[in-house]
Amino acid sequence: MRGAVVLLGLVGFIGPAAEALDNGLALRPTMGWLHWERFMCQIDCDRDPDNCISERLYMQMADVMVKEGWKEAGYEYVCIDDCWPSRQRDAQGRLQADPKRFPGGIKKLADYIHSKGLKLGIYADVGKKTCAGYPGSLGYYETDAQTFADWTVDLLKFDGCYMDWTLLGEGYMNMSKALNKTGRSILYSCEWPLYEWPFKQPNYTAIRETCNHWRNFNDVYDSWSSVKSILDWTASHQDVIVPSAGSGGWNDPDMLVIGNFGLSHDQQESQMALWAIMAAPLLMSNDPRDICPRSKELLQNRRIIDISQDPLGKQGYRTAKVDSFEVWERPLSQNRLAIAVMNQQEIGGARGFVIRAVPGWKICDPLCNVTQILPQYKELGVQTPKSKLVISANPSGTALLTVTPISSNFRRMLYRQEAIKQKYTNL
Ligand code: GLA
């Protein structure tokens, strides 16, 4: 394994270090759609009625998610981000949706989303204002939690702008308690560690006990440099963050931007593969009303989604850098392994990678079965520790594989078959 830097460390992880928030939700990484990256704070519905933040947008998303196979693929939550409320609370101090853009109100919208078999997410902020300057929840946690429960909302994304950082933990924990008190199951998506990192290393035990997923790093943009910066941050903090992930609570590297403008198809494949390896929530921010068929197929790829949703619930991590390849591995149920090999050389053409250089390849001793999922689905058959298999990845693209160790019984059977074949060919 010449030129290889094997990054150690995490292979011995057993399970998550702490108890998850016990609300029975996010047993697997959340899947759905979230408006922010693609639609941002576009509130001028006169100028852009199809893309402004309004009830119409979420209703159309729900329609298309059912019609175009998204729901069937597992994408379940339709989530509102910032810029939905009115600038003022009502006379009882409750948040209210902007009356012009949400004439039916959030409860009606939730009913519509539920009638499609989907779930509705909403957005608020732990501090005085949301990041875009709408009313924050500070001083109103119980009121707001109850309002969301009354509206039959299913997920809350709770941002961390306009908050004294020393009070972040308390604020996030109090909202968690307030949600719990409503008696409604509301998935709780936090940004607590992201806002704490500039000041101190967050307490991931407390975060896992409080939230169903949590953002650690900057907002994703529609660019490869943004996606890469998130991967780099994750790999360089993996010792701290990976042990906190598991059923019920996940690290959130932010939205999938697949199907937008900024990523090449190879880069989109890299984002999808790596988000599955990281056991990340799969919240797309794109426009499924108008999406390129290849991006859609990638987002709905059952084999990749199976890795994301694997019942073992362990987050994968970077295990090696070999030349300009990065190797990421995720342990899967039934002793299987998912491997992503990302080609970081952004010049030239496809490059080959000798697969036995993957640190986890030892599960192929004595034999394993290998399936390639990206860039194309291919059964690569039975392999050995000394396999000469070379896989190929395009610049900024990723080869994604699953490896299944072959049990000793099955192995004996293969040897027997081989012996019989030899006997007859020698006759
Ligand atoms: C922050 C969050 C984003 C988005 C915006 C909305 O930047 O990290 O995900 O919610 O606020 O204003």
Side-chain angles (χ1 to χ4, degrees):
M1 208 162 49
R2 221 149 18 106
V5 184
V6 176
L7 307 158
L8 41 111
L10 296 149
V11 184
F13 277 153
I14 329 171
E19 293 299 315
L21 168 61
D22 185 18
N23 62 1
L25 297 170
L27 300 181
R28 310 258 182 276
T30 308
M31 293 178 68
W33 178 90
L34 174 61
H35 96 233
W36 186 256
E37 194 287 320
R38 179 65 188 253
F39 295 93
M40 301 188 73
C41 198
Q42 162 51 316
I43 55 173
D44 187 347
C45 293
D46 297 329
R47 194 172 58 76
D48 197 358
D50 288 335
N51 300 304
C52 68
I53 304 312
S54 71
E55 60 185 30
R56 220 174 126 224
L57 182 68
Y58 306 97
M59 289 161 86
Q60 289 185 356
M61 289 305 159
D63 293 346
V64 75
M65 280 176 74
V66 173
K67 251 198 255 133
E68 301 287 333
W70 300 97
K71 181 184 158 199
E72 213 188 311
Y75 295 91
E76 188 183 14
Y77 288 85
V78 176
C79 302
I80 305 173
D81 207 288
D82 207 344
C83 305
W84 65 270
S86 183
R87 299 273 178 193
Q88 306 296 334
R89 290 176 175 268
D90 73 7
Q92 279 81 47
R94 290 174 303 200
L95 287 172
Q96 46 189 346
D98 181 282
K100 204 169 157 220
R101 293 180 285 119
F102 293 83
I106 304 291
K107 172 67 173 71
K108 265 250 185 85
L109 177 58
D111 290 346
Y112 185 81
I113 303 279
H114 293 150
S115 76
K116 301 271 161 187
L118 296 166
K119 295 191 151 83
L120 179 68
I122 206 160
Y123 167 100
D125 189 287
V126 69
K128 283 200 274 302
K129 287 192 258 178
T130 73
C131 297
Y134 290 81
S137 294
L138 189 61
Y140 293 91
Y141 296 152
E142 297 213 351
T143 310
D144 291 353
Q146 193 54 52
T147 304
F148 300 146
D150 293 344
W151 287 343
T152 67
V153 162
D154 305 291
L155 175 152
L156 173 65
K157 171 172 172 177
F158 210 39
D159 212 336
C161 278
Y162 298 101
M163 182 66 164
D164 174 345
W165 77 269
T166 60
L167 302 175
L168 276 169
E170 198 181 310
Y172 274 100
M173 288 191 269
N174 285 338
M175 188 47 139
S176 189
K177 285 183 202 139
L179 290 171
N180 190 43
K181 216 173 121 191
T182 67
R184 183 171 174 83
S185 292
I186 299 179
L187 199 154
Y188 188 35
S189 163
C190 300
E191 301 204 25
W192 170 8
L194 159 60
Y195 290 93
E196 214 169 65
W197 268 112
F199 307 101
K200 73 177 243 260
Q201 180 168 316
N203 174 353
Y204 280 93
T205 307
I207 291 168
R208 180 169 168 79
E209 284 165 0
T210 305
C211 309
N212 291 116
H213 32 86
W214 47 87
R215 285 272 310 281
N216 293 307
F217 188 61
N218 294 348
D219 293 2
V220 70
Y221 277 53
D222 188 10
S223 73
W224 180 236
S225 63
S226 166
V227 170
K228 229 168 46 159
S229 71
I230 292 172
L231 291 170
D232 285 344
W233 188 92
T234 304
S236 60
H237 294 79
Q238 60 189 11
D239 294 15
V240 179
I241 66 168
V242 170
S244 67
S247 187
W250 312 96
N251 288 295
D252 178 5
D254 211 4
M255 293 158 267
L256 293 168
V257 292
I258 296 166
N260 291 324
F261 311 98
L263 302 187
S264 71
H265 193 76
D266 287 295
Q267 293 163 352
Q268 296 182 40
E269 292 188 349
S270 291
Q271 194 188 25
M272 191 69 188
L274 272 300
W275 261 236
I277 292 276
M278 291 189 292
L282 301 181
L283 291 168
M284 351 171 239
S285 194
N286 53 14
D287 190 348
R289 298 169 302 182
D290 175 20
I291 189 169
C292 129
R294 272 185 97 191
S295 300
K296 178 178 165 194
E297 202 181 301
L298 173 63
L299 285 160
Q300 296 190 2
N301 184 311
R302 187 177 47 80
R303 291 189 173 85
I304 309 177
I305 293 174
D306 282 349
I307 294 176
S308 147
Q309 304 288 301
D310 183 79
L312 188 61
K314 284 198 179 186
Q315 177 171 346
Y317 45 91
R318 194 170 72 187
T319 56
K321 278 181 157 197
V322 185
D323 307 326
S324 48
F325 287 101
E326 281 193 13
V327 180
W328 291 64
E329 300 176 53
R330 175 173 175 185
L332 301 176
S333 52
Q334 294 166 333
N335 294 320
R336 289 167 313 127
L337 183 67
I339 301 173
V341 178
M342 185 166 46
N343 177 4
Q344 295 276 41
Q345 185 170 289
E346 295 173 31
I347 187 169
R351 292 172 67 226
F353 181 86
V354 182
I355 197 66
R356 65 167 188 273
V358 169
W361 191 251
K362 48 186 174 299
I363 72 160
C364 287
D365 193 3
L367 292 174
C368 63
N369 195 60
V370 180
T371 302
Q372 177 177 297
I373 298 172
L374 289 174
Q376 301 90 25
Y377 167 68
K378 231 191 266 174
E379 289 299 341
L380 297 177
V382 176
Q383 303 294 329
T384 69
K386 295 196 175 131
S387 165
K388 300 227 156 51
L389 187 64
V390 175
I391 50 144
S392 164
N394 287 341
S396 60
T398 295
L400 180 65
L401 313 168
T402 53
V403 181
T404 310
I406 293 180
S407 78
S408 45
N409 282 345
F410 186 65
R411 206 171 70 222
R412 267 197 293 277
M413 195 186 82
L414 282 179
Y415 282 145
R416 242 196 327 265
Q417 275 178 352
E418 190 53 32
I420 293 167
K421 218 163 75 197
Q422 297 258 318
K423 190 171 155 194
Y424 287 101
T425 41
N426 291 341
L427 279 179

